[in-house]
Amino acid sequence: MATKPLIWYMLTIFFTPVFEEVFFRVILFGWINDKLGVWIAAIISSIAFGVVHGDYAVFGGIMGLILLVIYRYSKSILPAIVLHSLWNTFIFYREYF
C-alpha cells in the first residue's frame, strides 16, 4: 500500500471516528441536550453530522442518529466509535480495492 493510502487509512479508520464521535455525540449532543432536551439535541446533532459528510448528508444524518442511539443505550462512546470505524473500513476498502 502506498504512503498516501496508508495515511488516509489511518485517518479514516482510527482518528476520524474517534474525533467525530466525541465531538458530535459527547460534546455537541451533550451540550444541546442540557439546553434544549434530548429530542432537539438528537435532531440537531444528527443533522450536523450529516451536513459535514457532504454528498452523503442524508445517509450521514441517519447514521448519526443510529450512532447516537447506540451511544445513549450503551452509555459509552466506545461502541459508536467501533461501529463508525467498521463502516469507514468498509468504505475505505470499497474505494481503494
Side-chain angles (χ1 to χ4, degrees):
M1 186 181 305
T3 303
K4 184 176 179 183
L6 179 60
I7 292 169
W8 182 244
Y9 176 81
M10 296 297 289
L11 288 171
T12 302
I13 306 308
F14 298 109
F15 301 112
T16 302
V18 171
F19 171 78
E20 287 184 347
E21 292 310 311
V22 169
F23 178 75
F24 287 102
R25 261 44 91 192
V26 177
I27 297 170
L28 184 63
F29 171 79
W31 183 75
I32 298 169
N33 184 35
D34 289 345
K35 306 278 186 224
L36 302 173
V38 68
W39 292 107
I40 299 296
I43 292 166
I44 292 173
S45 64
S46 296
I47 289 172
F49 185 77
V51 167
V52 302
H53 286 85
D55 292 343
Y56 304 101
V58 173
F59 181 78
I62 293 167
M63 185 61 114
L65 189 57
I66 291 167
L67 292 166
L68 177 62
V69 169
I70 290 168
Y71 165 62
R72 292 276 295 174
Y73 280 99
S74 69
K75 297 182 171 101
S76 171
I77 196 62
L78 191 58
I81 290 170
V82 169
L83 181 59
H84 194 153
S85 293
L86 290 171
W87 178 254
N88 285 6
T89 299
F90 169 74
I91 297 300
F92 180 85
Y93 281 103
R94 189 186 71 180
E95 293 293 321
Y96 283 99
F97 298 104

